[in-house]
Amino acid sequence: MTMIADVLLAAGALGAALYCYVLSRRLRRFTDLEKGVGGAVAVLSVQVDELTDILTKAQSAAKESVTQLDAVSARAEVAHKKLELSIAAMHDVPQPAEQSVAESPFFVRRAAEAEAK
């Protein structure tokens, strides 16, 4: 009876050793830096770093654009106020009397008409 228990104990130990060996090989392949999940994690880590840099640059560019747009908007508001004031001032200016076409300095007279005058 003791001998059977020893044989079963040895068989169990060999089975556990074989199981550990197979598990070790699978874990080694799983964490392999070129083909396994370790490689995927390494690639993703590099991509996250690159995306972080790109995002930082995009944020700084957006802040710069906002600053420029604020400056342009402020200039536009000042110009709008000046134009509004100029248009309001133009309502007070009297309208000039309309000239006839013949009195215009750009009117071209024919030679016969010029002699008649």
Side-chain angles (χ1 to χ4, degrees):
M1 193 59 119
T2 310
M3 188 155 197
I4 294 173
D6 288 342
V7 170
L8 287 176
L9 187 61
L14 284 174
L18 180 65
Y19 177 74
C20 287
Y21 177 73
V22 170
L23 186 61
S24 168
R25 290 189 60 190
R26 285 185 181 177
L27 282 173
R28 196 173 303 131
R29 272 188 275 146
F30 185 69
T31 59
D32 185 20
L33 288 178
E34 292 179 10
K35 299 178 184 175
V37 173
V41 168
V43 169
L44 287 174
S45 176
V46 169
Q47 288 177 345
V48 165
D49 290 341
E50 290 174 355
L51 287 174
T52 303
D53 291 340
I54 291 170
L55 183 61
T56 303
K57 290 177 184 176
Q59 286 175 338
S60 65
K63 287 179 183 177
E64 186 177 317
S65 295
V66 166
T67 305
Q68 290 176 350
L69 283 174
D70 284 342
V72 170
S73 177
R75 284 180 29 215
E77 286 179 11
V78 169
H80 172 262
K81 288 178 183 177
K82 287 181 180 179
L83 285 174
E84 201 171 61
L85 187 61
S86 296
I87 289 172
M90 292 297 289
H91 289 294
D92 297 338
V93 175
Q95 294 288 334
E98 292 186 24
Q99 294 178 340
S100 67
V101 176
E103 294 174 355
S104 171
F106 301 107
F107 182 72
V108 178
R109 292 185 173 81
R110 294 186 183 141
E113 292 177 6
E115 290 174 12
K117 260 193 163 181

